[in-house]
Amino acid sequence: MSQRTVRHFLQIPDFTRQELLDTLDLAARMKSGAYTDRPLAGKTLAMIFLKSSTRTRVSFEVGTRQLGGHALFLSSRDIQLGRGEPIRDTARVLSRYVDAIMIRTYDQQDLVELATWGTVPVINGLTDLLHPCQIMADLLTIQENFGADLSGVKVAWVGDGNNMANSWLNAAYRLGFELRLAYPAGYEPDAEILERARGAANIITTHDPAEAVAGADVVNTDVWASMGQEDESAKRAADFQGYCITEEVMETASARSIFLHCLPAHRGEEVTEGVLEGPRSRIFDEAENRLHVQKAIMATLMGGA
């Protein structure tokens, strides 16, 4: 594969609006069993994990197998990246062996460098800046509840302006739905990503969770201290007081509202047990949909679907 023809999925805007909708449609057909092709037959995905994972590892590994391919799990303990090999060298070597690379890491620049020096598609499994595959799964979950047209859906994000918030902004930028972000002062999303989204969608930012949730169709949150932020847990717990999604908070959302969480969840911290296990929760549909959207992304980038 020549450098000129390589497509990556580093962030949601790497795909056009129509490509995103086509990918979601393909994921839905895969989930329903309407799509039975095996476009990854004879192909291999290298999966680099500098952060541990449950959903990302299992969904990519199982998805690759279901599409006829093979996935290689490569942790930092197993490969030379963990001993200081430059990413540009790893990228060029792996590109000679495999057909695509997925990486789950801390620094966004690691991902960019991997894509810059590699000659095969690179997929963002997560960085501290962005989590695009998770948002694609969330969008599929929203479509399952409200229909394929996302333009009229109102999404509320309550919590840290983290990689999830940034990726919600990227999704709103491409797809045009209303997005409300509620976060404490000092926990703002990426300023450049925010401003880009403001030019294409109705983006509301507030420090009041009640303002974000009122009348929303989708209420979404995440843990207050993500992986790598454990030493900030006590400070964050104090700063995020009032940001817990409770049953009372959900009652202020729209009558058709659903609750999403990328998991793992800290019950009683950012969300109550009653909301997680309640009738509005779609967290396990959402988790399952990681498998289907990632299969669709791989089929598109690796298999020409």
Side-chain angles (χ1 to χ4, degrees):
M1 185 180 290
S2 72
Q3 187 69 42
R4 290 190 303 275
T5 61
V6 172
R7 293 286 307 274
H8 303 295
F9 191 67
L10 310 186
Q11 58 175 322
I12 285 172
D14 285 347
F15 283 14
T16 66
R17 172 187 172 86
Q18 191 57 54
E19 286 171 337
L20 290 171
L21 294 174
D22 289 345
T23 302
L24 291 169
D25 178 70
L26 178 58
R29 289 189 286 128
M30 288 175 167
K31 184 174 183 177
S32 71
Y35 181 95
T36 58
D37 293 354
R38 293 168 65 82
L40 302 192
K43 297 187 177 183
T44 301
L45 173 73
M47 306 188 303
I48 300 174
F49 284 87
L50 304 182
K51 281 189 173 187
S52 59
S53 169
T54 299
R55 280 152 289 276
T56 299
R57 177 179 178 178
V58 175
S59 56
F60 269 108
E61 193 161 333
V62 171
T64 304
R65 177 65 178 269
Q66 289 181 356
L67 294 179
H70 176 68
L72 291 172
F73 173 74
L74 306 171
S75 78
S76 58
R77 297 183 301 274
D78 302 323
I79 59 176
Q80 297 299 331
L81 275 179
R83 299 178 62 207
E85 180 174 61
I87 289 175
R88 62 183 180 272
D89 292 355
T90 297
R92 286 178 285 186
V93 169
L94 288 181
S95 294
R96 306 253 179 149
Y97 297 150
V98 303
D99 300 282
I101 303 167
M102 186 281 298
I103 184 170
R104 180 178 170 94
T105 187
Y106 293 90
D107 192 344
Q108 181 75 11
Q109 188 55 39
D110 291 348
L111 173 78
V112 172
E113 187 172 355
L114 190 66
T116 299
W117 288 93
T119 55
V120 296
V122 174
I123 299 171
N124 183 354
L126 174 142
T127 67
D128 286 348
L129 182 68
L130 296 170
H131 199 359
C133 290
Q134 179 62 58
I135 297 302
M136 290 294 286
D138 295 357
L139 293 171
L140 180 59
T141 309
I142 293 170
Q143 286 185 328
E144 290 173 338
N145 285 269
F146 303 133
D149 182 6
L150 297 166
S151 60
V153 175
K154 299 176 181 178
V155 177
W157 170 262
V158 177
D160 192 7
N162 61 9
N163 51 8
M164 287 288 291
N166 291 331
S167 293
W168 273 118
L169 285 165
N170 278 340
Y173 165 70
R174 271 288 183 249
L175 299 173
F177 54 82
E178 180 176 306
L179 177 63
R180 297 102 165 262
L181 301 174
Y183 47 82
Y187 294 92
E188 293 79 8
D190 181 85
E192 183 177 340
I193 293 173
L194 174 60
E195 288 310 306
R196 180 173 64 176
R198 286 192 192 279
N202 183 20
I203 308 296
I204 299 166
T205 59
T206 178
H207 298 315
D208 182 4
E211 181 182 354
V213 173
D217 301 305
V218 181
V219 180
N220 195 194
T221 191
D222 192 7
V223 295
W224 293 339
S226 297
M227 196 178 305
Q229 298 171 334
E230 290 82 3
D231 58 343
E232 303 173 22
S233 294
K235 181 180 186 304
R236 285 172 172 265
D239 292 345
F240 282 89
Q241 286 305 304
Y243 281 77
C244 181
I245 305 301
T246 64
E247 292 89 331
E248 292 74 22
V249 169
M250 287 300 301
E251 285 302 314
T252 70
S254 75
R256 67 174 189 167
S257 64
I258 61 172
F259 173 77
L260 300 178
H261 191 303
C262 62
L263 300 178
H266 293 168
R267 287 163 164 81
E269 189 168 288
E270 76 274 5
V271 60
T272 63
E273 176 85 8
V275 172
L276 270 180
E277 301 291 351
R280 299 176 192 250
S281 177
R282 300 293 184 274
I283 59 173
F284 296 111
D285 293 339
E286 178 188 7
E288 178 188 347
N289 285 339
R290 285 287 300 278
L291 170 66
H292 307 299
V293 298
Q294 290 163 188
K295 284 168 62 179
I297 292 166
M298 289 190 291
T300 300
L301 295 179
M302 299 170 66

